[in-house]
Amino acid sequence: MSPADTSSDIISDESKIPLLPVHDQTIQRRSSSHSSLKDSLLTPANFYILLGPLLCAIICLLVKLDAPVNSRNMLAILAWMFSWWLTEAVPMPITSMAPLFLFPFFGIASADNVAKSYMDDVIALVLGSFILALAVEHYNIHKRLALNITHLFCGDPVKPPLLLLGICGTTAFVSMWMHNVAAAVIMMPVATGILQRLPVGPVQGQNNVVGKFCKAVVLGVIYSAAVGGMSTLTGTGVNLILVGMWKSYFPQANPISFSTWFFFGFPLALVIFLALWAILCLLYCSRGSGQVLSAYLDRAHLKRELETLGPMAFAEKSILAIFGMLIVLWMTRSLTDEIPGWGALFNGRAGDGTVSVMMATLLFIIPSKKQKGEKLMDWNKCKKLPWNIILLLGAGFAIADGVRTSGLADVLSKALDFLEEAPYWAIAPIVCLISATITEFTSNNATTTLLVPLLIQIAKSMHAHPLLLMVPGAIGAQFSFLLPTGTPSNIVGFTTGHIEIKDMIKTGLPLKIAGITALAFLMPTLGAYVFRTNGEVQ
């Protein structure tokens, strides 16, 4: 075909196209624009956005509580926020700021009081810990530790259950001696360092196996941090709150010492840890997963990579030394009545967040010895700080304060009167179940603070030993396994992007059941022996 023929065809085709749209096309475009506008408005996302205010309005108009109006308003706010959190209709950090305007509007608290909830000692702990974690990541210390753990536990060929056991066991051990949040913050870069060796996206149909293993590792870290913290008094603030309330309400009774708690807490944590490992292996480690993962986690290759890293430089040693000092300070701030810890020197004014920020400050003072004038850290390296976690933590503290001050806590406590009629063997699992349910909606510490005094009063009316109710209540408050907002450790894992809320529910529900079952068996047996609950309180 000649160029002249081609050009004539183009001209003839163009002559068939009208210069102005015909009337029918105009109507069609208008109708299509109306339908597209309608389709854009009537979407599930917009429905989920309206669901929060709608639930809030329904509760305010229809629900009547035998309590002050603020308790009903607080319940309405909880419905609004948790509907947005669960559906993710609005970004989670933005939802976390909702108390800043909902609490003043509904008369729960003033703007100043709500804003103070967003800067707490635990938040300071997280800030300092994350700056240290960023330093670890910047100098690839987490890669060195990840390679060592993987090389030690992966097997040849790779055995995913064994590798998972190594990662979870390390996290649980670290969590025994420091705050759960700090343990999760320290170990999550190690876990993600291992996961960085795995491919992202579809790889010849293997992405399902790799994705499941990534979920197992992240879930294993956050849940192991919670389980390990149950073992010792210093592992979590909940245990310290329990011990403090026991001493306050029963000053003549024998105090719960570090060793006393360990004799009960460690066997309980060990049973729950084994249940966690089994659940993760059943749900996420399929039979052929070892063969797929062996392509990326070859033991000989891992050893060669360790050798290529070479000896540790001054900067790496300095950061590890600062981490070690921080762990020691965390462990020794408050121990037992016999050994009060260094915190007594400051009359209890110093907290875990105090030393966390102090140790993080050293990173901006100590030279790295890599370049002249360069410090271990500078502020440009801190731009990756997870402010979304800070906002989520602040929302949790604000909700805890609102539940307490609004009177909603008193409404919830009246529902526990039936415990007076419960049989002896059912006390521990019932109390644990109640506490484990409440802790999904408030912080662990807030649940313990609200619930334990009530359990003491119920124990007195039952003529039962108070620790039969207090210990299950405190342990159950640590079973916040279902929602990211249940505990800061969950948020640390959730922000990695490897897990979703449905993954936490899928794994956390059987783990919660296993924990309640273990406590139901151990509290009347081992607990009765360790805490001497068969006798009377002096």
Side-chain angles (χ1 to χ4, degrees):
M1 181 180 293
S2 65
D5 294 334
T6 305
S7 61
S8 63
D9 290 340
I10 294 174
I11 293 171
S12 63
D13 289 339
E14 289 179 350
S15 63
K16 298 176 183 178
I17 302 174
L19 295 177
L20 296 174
V22 297
H23 183 67
D24 292 341
Q25 288 179 332
T26 305
I27 295 175
Q28 184 178 0
R29 289 184 182 179
R30 286 178 180 174
S31 61
S32 63
S33 64
H34 285 304
S35 61
S36 62
L37 179 62
K38 182 179 178 182
D39 293 339
S40 63
L41 291 176
L42 300 178
T43 62
N46 289 334
F47 171 75
Y48 292 144
I49 291 174
L50 293 174
L51 180 62
L54 183 62
L55 291 175
C56 180
I58 291 174
I59 292 175
C60 288
L61 294 174
L62 301 180
V63 175
K64 295 186 181 296
L65 299 176
D66 187 16
V69 177
N70 276 352
S71 61
R72 183 202 61 196
N73 293 346
M74 188 64 213
L75 183 64
I77 292 173
L78 287 178
W80 183 334
M81 292 189 61
F82 280 101
S83 67
W84 275 6
W85 268 331
L86 290 173
T87 60
E88 298 185 23
V90 177
M92 193 171 289
I94 302 302
T95 305
S96 301
M97 292 192 290
L100 290 169
F101 67 88
L102 288 177
F103 280 26
F105 287 168
F106 283 85
I108 303 298
S110 66
D112 286 339
N113 289 334
V114 180
K116 289 176 183 176
S117 300
Y118 287 79
M119 183 50 69
D120 186 87
D121 183 63
V122 174
I123 292 178
L125 181 148
V126 172
L127 274 173
S129 300
F130 264 110
I131 292 174
L132 284 163
L134 288 175
V136 168
E137 183 180 352
H138 177 73
Y139 291 99
N140 286 324
I141 300 174
H142 66 297
K143 182 179 180 181
R144 187 185 296 272
L145 183 56
L147 285 171
N148 277 288
I149 293 176
T150 310
H151 180 263
L152 182 63
F153 288 98
C154 73
D156 193 13
V158 174
K159 298 179 178 61
L162 183 62
L163 177 57
L164 196 59
L165 179 64
I167 298 170
C168 295
T170 305
T171 305
F173 178 78
V174 170
S175 183
M176 290 171 62
W177 313 108
M178 66 176 67
H179 198 280
N180 294 351
V181 183
V185 167
I186 289 172
M187 289 302 299
M188 195 57 71
V190 176
T192 53
I194 296 173
L195 301 183
Q196 285 173 358
R197 306 182 57 83
L198 304 176
V200 179
V203 183
Q204 298 178 351
Q206 299 175 1
N207 61 317
N208 188 37
V209 172
V210 172
K212 281 188 174 182
F213 185 72
C214 291
K215 292 179 187 293
V217 169
V218 174
L219 290 169
V221 169
I222 61 176
Y223 291 149
S224 297
V227 173
M230 301 175 192
S231 304
T232 63
L233 289 182
T234 56
T236 175
V238 170
N239 296 343
L240 294 173
I241 291 173
L242 172 69
V243 172
M245 287 190 175
W246 172 252
K247 180 180 178 181
S248 176
Y249 279 86
F250 305 99
Q252 304 300 323
N254 293 327
I256 301 175
S257 65
F258 188 96
S259 58
T260 300
W261 182 267
F262 184 81
F263 285 140
F264 174 77
F266 181 75
L268 175 66
L270 182 61
V271 172
I272 300 175
F273 175 81
L274 294 175
L276 168 64
W277 181 55
I279 291 169
L280 291 175
C281 290
L282 288 173
L283 293 178
Y284 300 104
C285 295
S286 56
R287 181 167 294 181
S289 58
Q291 184 177 1
V292 174
L293 296 175
S294 294
Y296 313 102
L297 298 173
D298 179 65
R299 197 167 191 178
H301 181 63
L302 292 171
K303 188 175 182 179
R304 287 194 299 270
E305 284 200 27
L306 275 172
E307 293 173 351
T308 57
L309 288 177
M312 297 182 66
F314 172 80
E316 297 175 67
K317 293 179 181 178
S318 299
I319 291 172
L320 287 178
I322 291 174
F323 249 127
M325 291 171 58
L326 178 58
I327 292 172
V328 171
L329 289 172
W330 273 337
M331 289 172 55
T332 58
R333 181 178 68 86
S334 178
L335 297 176
T336 62
D337 293 333
E338 296 83 8
I339 308 175
W342 62 265
L345 299 175
F346 302 94
N347 298 322
R349 289 189 293 267
D352 289 336
T354 307
V355 292
S356 180
V357 174
M358 182 179 71
M359 291 292 105
T361 304
L362 293 178
L363 297 175
F364 299 84
I365 299 174
I366 300 174
S368 66
K369 290 191 175 182
K370 287 195 171 185
Q371 296 181 5
K372 186 176 181 181
E374 184 184 47
K375 309 299 181 183
L376 291 174
M377 285 289 285
D378 58 63
W379 187 246
N380 287 330
K381 298 171 186 174
C382 297
K383 291 180 179 179
K384 292 162 53 179
L385 279 172
W387 297 107
N388 53 344
I389 294 181
I390 305 303
L391 294 174
L392 278 167
L393 284 173
F397 295 136
I399 288 174
D401 289 339
V403 168
R404 184 179 68 253
T405 59
S406 66
L408 184 59
D410 297 330
V411 175
L412 297 175
S413 66
K414 293 179 181 178
L416 301 180
D417 293 340
F418 68 93
L419 285 174
E420 298 181 8
E421 307 297 330
Y424 177 83
W425 58 269
I427 291 176
I430 292 176
V431 171
C432 186
L433 177 62
I434 294 170
S435 180
T437 302
I438 297 175
T439 194
E440 297 292 349
F441 305 99
T442 62
S443 68
N444 299 356
N445 293 345
T447 301
T448 308
T449 304
L450 293 171
L451 197 59
V452 169
L454 173 67
L455 295 175
I456 292 173
Q457 298 301 322
I458 295 175
K460 290 180 178 179
S461 62
M462 294 173 61
H463 302 289
H465 198 287
L467 288 178
L468 283 174
L469 280 71
M470 294 173 65
V471 173
I475 294 293
Q478 301 174 61
F479 290 169
S480 50
F481 300 143
L482 300 182
L483 297 174
T485 54
T487 177
S489 304
N490 294 357
I491 303 172
V492 171
F494 192 76
T495 52
T496 62
H498 287 290
I499 60 173
E500 300 174 357
I501 292 179
K502 61 182 180 181
D503 299 314
M504 296 189 66
I505 295 175
K506 179 181 176 181
T507 309
L509 187 59
L511 180 61
K512 190 185 287 270
I513 295 172
I516 294 173
T517 304
L519 186 64
F521 175 76
L522 290 176
M523 188 61 211
T525 53
L526 179 63
Y529 173 76
V530 172
F531 298 116
R532 301 176 183 177
T533 57
N534 293 328
E536 295 183 358
V537 181
Q538 297 178 355

